[in-house]
Amino acid sequence: MTHQLFIDGAYCDAASGQVFDVVDPSNRQVFAQVARGGAEDIDRAVTAARRAFDHGPWPRMSGAERAAVLRRMGDTIAARRDELARVEVQDNGKPLPEALWDIDDTAGVFHFYADLAERLDNAAVQDITLSVEGFTSKAVKEPVGVAGAIIPWNFPMLMASWKVAPALAAGCTVVLKPSELTPLTALELGRIAADAGLPAGALNIVTGFGPEAGQPLTEHPGVDKLAFTGSVPTGSRIMATAARDIKTVSLELGGKSPLVVFADTPIDEAVEWILFGIFWNQGEVCSATSRVLVEAPIYDALLARLTEEAQKIRIGHGLQDGVLLGPLVSPSQHEKVLAAIKRGKAEGRLVTGGGVPEGLEAGCYIQPTIFADMAEDSWIWREEIFGPVVCIKPFTSEADAIRMANDSRFGLAAAVMSADLDRAERVARAFRAGIVWINCSQPTFTEAPWGGYKQSGIGRELGEWGLNNYLETKQITTWDRHRPWGWYLKD
Ligand code: ADP
């Protein structure tokens, strides 16, 4: 089956007529083809989005009217949850229960931003108290313009919603570039939007490769704002490109997120959250718990229990009952993670996993993998792997745990587990990270801000923070003509 681009309210082929293959990572077989968008398609999409923003109805509608469209989009996604989740399983590899969770969250994100769009009608104007008499002033929030959104492959439809829903809620128009590895569910958003009554041009979706479609989108002068989720090198390049014409950027990049476990934590509780933290979604999660620091008295017992449970995780096709670990997203990601494991073997002790599970060689599968005894300056401890690979280390004092946790160029997420909530709160405050979990790791909520410190990014998505990404603030100040002024014209 061949899927087309969605530009100016209609599906169409790429200008070049070219397509590319979409691969099922459970068997490495091509199961669909998608239009291979390029600079010309991006230009058509941005032109449509520009026209829809400058002259179309979308930014001029009330928040309540926009909310009605977003709500219908959320309703359709919810109604099609099973079908969309199955596409996600084939495209990304993730187990069906996780894909269903993603789709439910995606519908929830559209519903959430529908509510915020509605509230924007009243919240968009704020009176300002001035210290000088004779003037009144107010701040007005307005949509930033045309938003270019570039997203990764780990939560294909959900990541689209994190950008498209707040941008549309704000009154922006959008050009979305999904990942070339997982373009299918994001492309469906075009149909869903059109059926919900979104005006033509307000959402455009161009599938294609980073350098061919992503780069022209970041360079296009018709784009006002760029929102990106992906790797640090690509984020850095996008920021540099955006600097040429001062586009606003928000970036959600990588991580090497620590979990600090104090000895007063029940071992099974810690093991549950470590397993969830690193093996959920095959570890292909920017906030994944990839570094675990355990207080020395329980280190050996915890590692033994963690190893035992990791070995029990059922690996297999995402549609099989009881499977908790599917294949990685693609053959290239599979190779990358296997290469990282090879490097890890030279730097530390492979406790368990590290290979391709027997009988599953046809797919991009990797066993749950645990490394111990690596140095603090080792590559495996410091660099993001983006797969089911966790590194574990003991610590002896709170100060040492905080130092090791913060000793990273990343600062996306961190977690702490302790029965002493005062201590947990103290450590949570000491983490240099944008997302901190206490006594858990990974649960993500549409209402709460999401984003990183340091090289993990710029700006916050989700919640009201996500909406603010797509809003400009304008000052409108009025002089009371009955008051004296006369700086030049004295009488
Ligand atoms: P990964 O290496 O894990 O695929 P990337 O950061 O390269 O992560 O990819 C995330 C998204 O960024 C994808 O949609 C990809 O196509 C896009 N992308 C890659 N390179 C560029 C680029 N030079 N300019 C714009 N987008 C890009």
Side-chain angles (χ1 to χ4, degrees):
M1 185 160 177
T2 301
H3 301 261
Q4 295 174 302
L5 314 175
F6 184 75
I7 298 178
D8 209 9
Y11 282 96
C12 59
D13 290 331
S16 67
Q18 288 187 5
V19 293
F20 64 94
D21 292 337
V22 187
V23 171
D24 178 342
S26 72
N27 55 18
R28 294 186 166 88
Q29 301 295 309
V30 175
F31 72 98
Q33 288 189 314
V34 171
R36 183 167 176 166
E40 208 177 313
D41 305 294
I42 288 290
D43 186 51
R44 274 198 302 145
V46 174
T47 304
R50 193 75 258 166
R51 198 183 317 118
F53 186 78
D54 292 339
H55 309 291
W58 188 249
R60 289 155 196 89
M61 283 181 185
S62 68
E65 288 171 305
R66 286 202 296 273
V69 174
L70 290 172
R71 221 163 261 142
R72 282 195 290 272
M73 289 179 73
D75 292 346
T76 307
I77 293 163
R80 293 177 57 186
R81 78 188 278 267
D82 195 60
E83 168 215 341
L84 290 167
R86 282 167 189 274
V87 174
E88 217 71 306
V89 171
Q90 193 170 23
D91 207 356
N92 168 278
K94 64 178 71 198
L96 184 62
E98 291 178 15
L100 285 166
W101 198 354
D102 280 16
I103 302 300
D104 290 345
D105 271 0
T106 305
V109 168
F110 277 95
H111 287 143
F112 176 82
Y113 282 106
D115 291 346
L116 284 202
E118 207 152 39
R119 270 197 261 149
L120 200 57
D121 280 342
N122 294 322
V125 181
Q126 190 191 334
D127 286 324
I128 299 167
T129 307
L130 301 176
S131 58
V132 173
E133 286 189 10
F135 297 87
T136 52
S137 192
K138 61 189 174 190
V140 180
K141 287 192 174 167
E142 297 183 342
V144 74
V146 173
I150 299 176
I151 56 167
W153 43 259
N154 52 349
F155 299 92
M157 199 176 202
L158 186 61
M159 288 298 104
S161 76
W162 282 23
K163 294 181 172 38
V164 170
L168 291 179
C172 290
T173 59
V174 182
V175 177
L176 172 68
K177 209 298 278 172
S179 167
E180 58 275 27
L181 297 176
T182 55
L184 299 182
T185 47
L187 259 183
E188 268 310 290
L189 276 178
R191 204 176 320 279
I192 292 165
D195 290 349
L198 188 76
L203 173 63
N204 308 274
I205 307 164
V206 180
T207 47
F209 294 90
E212 290 174 14
Q215 184 73 23
L217 180 58
T218 62
E219 286 169 359
H220 203 294
V223 173
D224 299 295
K225 189 230 151 51
L226 289 166
F228 171 76
T229 299
S231 63
V232 174
T234 304
S236 169
R237 180 188 289 226
I238 286 175
M239 196 172 166
T241 308
R244 286 189 220 158
D245 49 3
I246 322 290
K247 288 186 178 83
T248 319
V249 288
S250 46
L251 305 171
E252 204 266 81
L253 308 174
K256 189 79 177 180
S257 300
L259 164 61
V260 173
V261 185
F262 284 97
D264 56 0
T265 309
I267 285 188
D268 274 10
E269 253 176 55
V271 167
E272 168 67 24
W273 287 110
I274 297 167
L275 294 171
F276 188 71
I278 190 63
F279 300 129
W280 172 64
N281 210 53
Q282 293 66 248
E284 295 167 325
V285 181
C286 48
S287 59
T289 306
S290 45
R291 290 187 296 148
V292 177
L293 290 153
V294 184
E295 202 170 8
I298 62 164
Y299 177 79
D300 288 335
L302 188 147
L303 182 54
R305 184 94 178 90
L306 179 67
T307 305
E308 181 192 335
E309 289 301 319
Q311 287 167 348
K312 282 193 215 156
I313 290 175
R314 178 125 184 246
I315 311 170
H317 193 284
L319 293 181
Q320 261 177 302
D321 255 3
V323 159
L324 283 171
L325 195 77
L328 302 198
V329 68
S330 67
S332 67
Q333 186 63 16
H334 191 242
E335 268 170 39
K336 252 194 229 174
V337 174
L338 286 175
I341 290 171
K342 193 170 168 202
R343 206 160 169 176
K345 282 182 189 166
E347 291 182 327
R349 175 167 66 91
L350 177 68
V351 180
T352 186
V356 176
E358 237 182 82
L360 291 173
E361 292 82 0
C364 303
Y365 296 93
I366 293 186
Q367 294 164 322
T369 300
I370 302 174
F371 279 104
D373 306 333
M374 72 296 298
E376 263 183 74
D377 61 357
S378 60
W379 183 91
I380 191 98
W381 179 253
R382 304 192 77 82
E383 294 303 323
E384 185 175 44
I385 293 170
F386 227 70
V389 182
V390 65
C391 294
I392 188 162
K393 257 186 171 315
F395 70 87
T396 49
S397 72
E398 183 179 318
D400 211 32
I402 292 168
R403 182 194 58 75
M404 284 201 275
N406 284 339
D407 182 17
S408 170
R409 68 190 166 101
F410 299 111
L412 185 57
V416 53
M417 299 191 78
S418 171
D420 176 351
L421 282 180
D422 289 336
R423 172 163 64 183
E425 177 74 23
R426 196 166 59 233
V427 174
R429 296 299 182 107
F431 284 141
R432 296 282 301 154
I435 305 149
V436 174
W437 287 285
I438 294 179
N439 289 336
C440 62
S441 186
Q442 302 306 318
T444 301
F445 303 96
T446 307
E447 301 80 11
W450 181 274
Y453 287 19
K454 299 192 265 184
Q455 289 186 27
S456 290
I458 296 178
R460 295 293 175 269
E461 298 193 281
L462 295 181
E464 62 195 73
W465 300 268
L467 187 67
N468 280 331
N469 274 330
Y470 299 96
L471 291 169
E472 286 277 20
T473 303
K474 178 187 280 178
Q475 168 197 161
I476 301 182
T477 296
T478 307
W479 172 51
D480 175 356
R481 293 165 56 228
H482 304 292
R483 295 286 189 137
W485 182 250
W487 193 277
Y488 286 93
L489 308 182
K490 296 290 182 203
D491 295 306

